[in-house]
Amino acid sequence: MASTQTFSNNLRLFVAGDWQHNRLIQERIKKGIAYIICTLMAVIYVFPLYWLLTTALKTDAEVFQLPPTFLPVDPQWQNFQAATEYIPFWLYMGNTLIIAVLTIIGTLVSCTLIAYGFARIKWPGRNVLFIVYLSTIMLPTQVTMIPLYIIYRQMGWIGTFMPLIVPSFFGNALFVFLLRQFLMTIPAELSEAAKIDGASEVGILRHVMLPLLRPALATVALFTFVNVYRDFLGPLIYLSDQNQWTISLGLKLFQNMYGAQWQLMMAASTLAMVPIIVLFFFTQKTFVEGISLTGIKG
Amino acid sequence: MLNIRDWSLAKREAAAGYFFILPWIIGFTLLTLGPMLASLYFSFTDYNIVEAPRWIGLNNYTRLFNDELFWQSLAVTLRFAVLALPSGLVLGFVLALLLNQDVPGVKIWRTIFFLPSVLSGVAVTLLWLMLFNPELGVVNKLLEQIGIKGPGWLQDPDWAVPSLAIMALWGVGQNMIVYLAGLQGVPADLYDAAKVDGANRTQQFRYVTIPMMTPVLFYNLVLGLIGTFSYFTQVYVATGGSGGPARSTLFYNLYLYQNAFRYNDMGYASAMAWVLFVIVLTLTLLVFRSSSLWVYYEGELRGRR
């Protein structure tokens, strides 16, 4: 009786051990396969960017050479200089930066105030209004686009940065949502303590909440910058004067250069991507968190 | 006399609350609700900006119904959605699953797959215009090396939308990040419980991972579908705003833009905007209605949104 039990115990141990051993091997194989697939995918994903950069450094003749060269024979670094002269590159960068900075200021101020009002103060109708606000995220911009254009036209704002900047001072539903989520996690005792010390709501926001809110505000600023930088339809509609174009809009001047001067087009595209790439490498964590939190897509 | 100090605490709090959300109240009235109603009104008028709008009843809507290009734009948009969304979902999910395995160098892989999706739409489109050029682009040159004659890509009416879908797949990294967060949010004790019940890896994937991920996947799919109706920058840059060749890339939003800002047909474009609004609203309601079918842990997921 006892020996059968030992036997079955041993058998169980043996099977378990083997199972564990197998699992280790399985785990290794699985990781190996994942690694190989990752490498293959990465090659495909990196290739367009690699081709962008190498084309930017080729001569006109080398761009169209057959078979294509995978490394520029004689890197033409002056292509970048030439590209910034082919279109008024720095003017467009400057315009983009002005719009971006003002939009970020507007967004940060308005969204902080609104989020504080929704998160930290109790008032009748708050939850209903917040749902109304959230539902505007789903509203397609086209539904308001035409009347807004007509309003801005009547105000004489077409051909100025105003239509691109001013709306940011009235809040953005997605960012308010993000900031509100963040503010809700701050314990109520903090504000109550400040209130007992005689602080007003504005005082609490400034001295208690703002320092805590900094990482969330950084996320909002980052996404606002990326949105402004990539915006195309807005500048296309509102910036009628070519001297006021943003970089996104300015790049379309290369559209008409089919088959010629690709190296300049790619040099300009590379330069236009640099700010986003630099930001991305320094703030990748913020990007990841922002996207995972809200599912926002640019 | 209005003396705030005499107000009750509740009243003072309410006043403060309204004060803080004032920017939104103003913005909502002037930049959202007002324009929405105005565009509804315009959709019943003939309006070219220069002259005052003239009431024409349902004419714009009946015109839409008989407009071949309107149906074409809907078809193009849906064709793109069918080509780009399911493949983007699968690719994004596979990449997320791969990165969830702790492959060595996970941060490098994540950066590589994520970066293209945050780059600027115009610069990226110019890049793909060059890659996809039928005679001189590197894609067809490489295909030639292995004995395949590549298609005309963006210059071929049959291939133009698939080309744009391939471009979209290159930007699948943001989906991947959302799914990765979802995968990492699946509670470990669910897997432990499954293991105790003797589930193998495949079964764990089928009965734990997939059910836990369906809300995220579905939510993304619907957002993606809604997003397709706003698809604009890439197709505008790739086709010079024409929607060519042979109107094969006349996306809904591009046709709306053309009507509004090329032909100054503001009334007609407004009608298109409202039809779009109804489509999006229907899709959104559909998601909420069907949520009981696919949401497993509603409370937990609501926290994540």
Side-chain angles (χ1 to χ4, degrees), chain A residues 19-36:
Chain A
W19 175 75
Q20 223 143 36
H21 183 66
N22 258 337
R23 247 196 67 178
L24 216 76
I25 294 177
Q26 267 181 10
E27 200 72 21
R28 287 246 172 93
I29 292 175
K30 225 178 61 186
K31 266 191 194 165
I33 292 174
Y35 194 76
I36 293 167

Side-chain angles (χ1 to χ4, degrees), chain B residues 138-178:
Chain B
V138 69
V139 173
N140 275 2
K141 280 182 187 169
L142 287 178
L143 285 175
E144 218 169 274
Q145 306 274 314
I146 53 169
I148 299 172
K149 191 179 169 347
W153 299 111
L154 286 159
Q155 297 178 25
D156 179 334
D158 291 329
W159 277 93
V161 170
S163 307
L164 293 171
I166 294 173
M167 263 173 64
L169 281 183
W170 194 56
V172 88
Q174 302 204 350
N175 281 351
M176 176 194 78
I177 296 293
V178 174

Side-chain angles (χ1 to χ4, degrees), chain A residues 184-195:
Chain A
M184 305 265 272
T185 63
I186 298 171
E189 290 82 31
L190 271 181
S191 347
E192 271 151 28
K195 243 178 231 171

Side-chain angles (χ1 to χ4, degrees), chain A residues 105-176:
Chain A
I105 294 173
T107 308
L108 289 181
V109 171
S110 61
C111 291
T112 309
L113 289 175
I114 299 167
Y116 186 84
F118 275 117
R120 309 289 305 189
I121 305 174
K122 286 201 186 73
W123 40 274
R126 183 176 76 162
N127 292 340
V128 177
L129 274 191
F130 191 65
I131 288 170
V132 171
Y133 196 8
L134 273 190
S135 64
T136 60
I137 294 178
M138 294 305 238
L139 191 74
T141 48
Q142 292 92 331
V143 182
T144 54
M145 183 172 78
I146 290 163
L148 284 178
Y149 177 82
I150 291 160
I151 294 170
Y152 296 142
R153 207 177 104 101
Q154 262 161 12
M155 297 177 84
W157 283 4
I158 305 298
T160 72
F161 295 158
M162 297 294 267
L164 300 172
I165 297 166
V166 170
S168 72
F169 283 82
F170 298 97
N172 171 307
L174 206 55
F175 296 145
V176 166

Side-chain angles (χ1 to χ4, degrees), chain A residues 238-260:
Chain A
Y238 295 124
L239 301 180
S240 46
D241 178 355
Q242 203 163 321
N243 282 323
Q244 290 177 333
W245 281 8
T246 59
I247 190 65
S248 266
L249 205 51
L251 280 178
K252 96 182 162 95
L253 288 173
F254 284 102
Q255 232 175 17
N256 314 321
M257 304 183 16
Y258 274 95

